[in-house]
């Protein structure tokens, strides 16, 4: 395994996380069509879980573990 790491912004995982969090944020704050409260909760949880998964993945890759 190589000891050369990509910057976070150059990984596909980062961009998937950005897209997921942006979409979740857009769903939760949209003023024009209020959603069912459960949909807003699901959007917030999706964004949070995506961010957590990205952080765990980066930590494991930097310690040399396989994700």
């Amino acid at each position: 395994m190589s000891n050369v790491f990509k910057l976070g912004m150059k990984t596909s995982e980062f961009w998937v996380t950005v897209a997921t969090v942006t979409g979740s944020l857009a769903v939760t704050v949209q003023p024009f069509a209020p959603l069912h409260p459960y949909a807003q909760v699901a959007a917030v949880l999706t964004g949070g879980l995506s961010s957590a998964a990205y952080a765990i993945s980066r930590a494991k890759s930097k310690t040399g573990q396989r994700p």
Side-chain angles (χ1 to χ4, degrees), residues 12-39:
S12 59
E13 293 87 358
F14 174 80
W15 292 109
V16 168
T17 301
V18 167
T20 304
V21 171
T22 302
S24 297
L25 185 61
V27 166
T28 57
V29 297
Q30 64 174 337
F32 55 87
L35 293 177
H36 192 278
Y38 290 141

